[in-house]
Amino acid sequence: MEILKKKSQVRELVNKERSKKQIIGFVPTMGYLHQGHLSLIKKAKNDGCFTIVSIFVNPLQFGPSEDFQRYPRDTERDLKLLKEANADAVFIPSDEEMYNSNHLTFVNVSKLSEKLEGSFRPGHFAGVCTVCAKLFNIVQPDRAYFGWKDAQQLIIIRKMVRDLDFNISIVPVATVREEDGLAASSRNVYLSPDQRKKALVLSRALQKIEQMIKFESVIDANLLIEEGKKIIKSEDVELQYLEAVELENLERVEKIRKNTGILGAIKVGNVRLIDNLIME
Ligand code: AMP
């Protein structure tokens, strides 16, 4: 596995592989890898891609009172996992390699970025889009893999790619969960054992909603959201939002059907967690 720290090294490698007719698959991450990240890499490898993973904790997407400084990092462990997953290359740039000292340009997907996560994390998606646009320009992949776990991010990136004519297919990958149902996340390490138990309430609420849709044929969004909120409020966590939305534009829907999703966020102590149910 090639370990690359410079943009120029990435460009050189990609040119070489492309001349061998390789399809370039790209998996952007912030590291502290878990089974969710590995499932994206597995999908890229199964699709026959020369698979490049990036590890970069992007300062631009963290608010001033968020967890940029304490975001978990363990490069040695990540490299070991990437080798085991047969990733072909990893790009680990420094902050200076990614952003010059006078960076002034931002990519903002308006409207979609202000809803849901955006209303709790102003500026977050502009940070995400800016770094993804840069990474897409550096790597120039044929395909980029994103998890449904971060549904709003996936929807916004897909829109950015369409609006700005990036020649990249965005490939969505289903959420990987821990055995107890908690969506795998680098931030799960912040949870104490007691908080972790409480955190399960979000996936439990989504599971209940899924059962109501599947087995009781309930499609009334208000009814489903009400039931989900009731479950979440029974636990000692802060419910930030639980909404049924159209996946294309994140507008609220009255009825659940194909291409809608139920997106939720809770705060357990200081830890924000998101999860969702996607009707693809
Ligand atoms: P992150 O390192 O949290 O920025 O995530 C990098 C990529 O991994 C994003 O596309 C995420 O949506 C995806 N991802 C994170 N957690 C999961 C999960 N539990 N299942 C599937 N994909 C995930």
Side-chain angles (χ1 to χ4, degrees):
M1 183 179 70
E2 305 251 8
I3 301 172
L4 315 166
K5 299 203 164 154
K6 300 284 175 202
K7 296 181 264 198
S8 56
Q9 294 175 305
V10 177
R11 292 209 165 102
E12 203 178 308
L13 178 66
V14 169
N15 282 341
K16 190 176 92 191
E17 294 305 323
R18 192 155 274 132
S19 71
K20 292 193 254 167
K21 303 276 180 269
Q22 289 274 25
I23 306 282
I24 310 296
F26 179 46
V27 181
T29 81
M30 297 206 297
Y32 210 72
L33 302 178
H34 52 66
Q35 290 304 318
H37 298 116
L38 298 179
S39 76
L40 305 191
I41 297 165
K42 197 168 167 191
K43 173 94 176 92
K45 291 294 293 183
N46 282 345
D47 288 351
C49 294
F50 182 87
T51 303
I52 304 180
V53 180
S54 66
I55 296 180
F56 181 61
V57 184
N58 173 33
L60 234 56
Q61 71 189 67
F62 289 79
S65 59
E66 292 185 357
D67 55 347
F68 174 67
Q69 292 300 341
R70 68 177 193 125
Y71 194 84
R73 294 162 170 91
D74 189 342
T75 310
E76 286 310 306
R77 180 175 158 275
D78 286 349
L79 291 177
K80 191 165 164 283
L81 288 170
L82 289 175
K83 278 182 198 148
E84 284 166 10
N86 283 322
D88 295 292
V90 57
F91 177 43
I92 317 184
S94 64
D95 290 3
E96 295 72 33
E97 180 69 6
M98 282 302 281
Y99 296 111
N100 65 53
S101 57
N102 188 28
H103 183 95
L104 297 175
T105 308
F106 295 85
V107 181
N108 183 38
V109 176
S110 63
K111 280 192 179 164
L112 299 185
S113 295
E114 287 136 36
K115 296 167 189 278
L116 305 164
E117 282 299 284
S119 64
F120 290 89
R121 305 185 71 185
H124 169 66
F125 288 115
V128 170
C129 288
T130 303
V131 81
C132 284
K134 282 173 70 71
L135 289 167
F136 289 172
N137 282 329
I138 295 164
V139 178
Q140 304 206 354
D142 300 288
R143 297 159 151 257
Y145 293 78
F146 284 84
W148 269 124
K149 155 75 174 29
D150 300 275
Q152 188 172 5
Q153 169 174 283
L154 167 52
I155 289 158
I156 288 173
I157 293 293
R158 212 154 56 178
K159 184 78 178 113
M160 177 187 84
V161 161
R162 236 177 267 152
D163 285 355
L164 297 184
D165 297 303
F166 282 97
N167 192 15
I168 300 172
S169 304
I170 300 299
V171 185
V173 180
T175 298
V176 172
R177 296 177 180 283
E178 314 256 354
E179 256 173 39
D180 55 10
L182 188 69
S185 164
S186 306
R187 289 190 166 97
N188 289 349
V189 289
Y190 295 150
L191 297 166
S192 69
D194 180 51
Q195 286 176 325
R196 198 196 147 93
K197 263 187 229 145
K198 291 178 179 162
L200 286 175
V201 77
L202 181 52
S203 57
R204 216 164 50 234
L206 291 166
Q207 233 172 43
K208 170 71 180 171
I209 291 174
E210 188 176 22
Q211 282 169 359
M212 287 170 71
I213 298 169
K214 265 195 186 160
F215 303 120
E216 298 165 35
S217 304
V218 182
I219 57 160
D220 182 319
N222 286 331
L223 213 79
L224 293 163
I225 294 296
E226 216 171 278
E227 179 63 26
K229 284 187 172 172
K230 200 170 83 193
I231 293 171
I232 293 169
K233 284 178 183 161
S234 71
E235 189 56 271
D236 174 26
V237 302
E238 179 194 329
L239 169 62
Q240 294 205 319
Y241 62 83
L242 187 71
E243 282 187 31
V245 297
E246 183 84 50
L247 290 179
E248 185 73 14
N249 54 22
L250 298 172
E251 296 287 340
R252 277 194 202 181
V253 292
E254 294 292 321
K255 302 257 177 276
I256 301 299
R257 50 175 189 273
K258 205 168 169 262
N259 295 323
T260 59
I262 302 206
L263 276 53
I266 59 170
K267 211 167 163 190
V268 190
N270 280 328
V271 190
R272 277 193 88 248
L273 297 169
I274 58 172
D275 199 350
N276 59 66
L277 177 65
I278 301 295
M279 265 64 65
E280 269 189 283

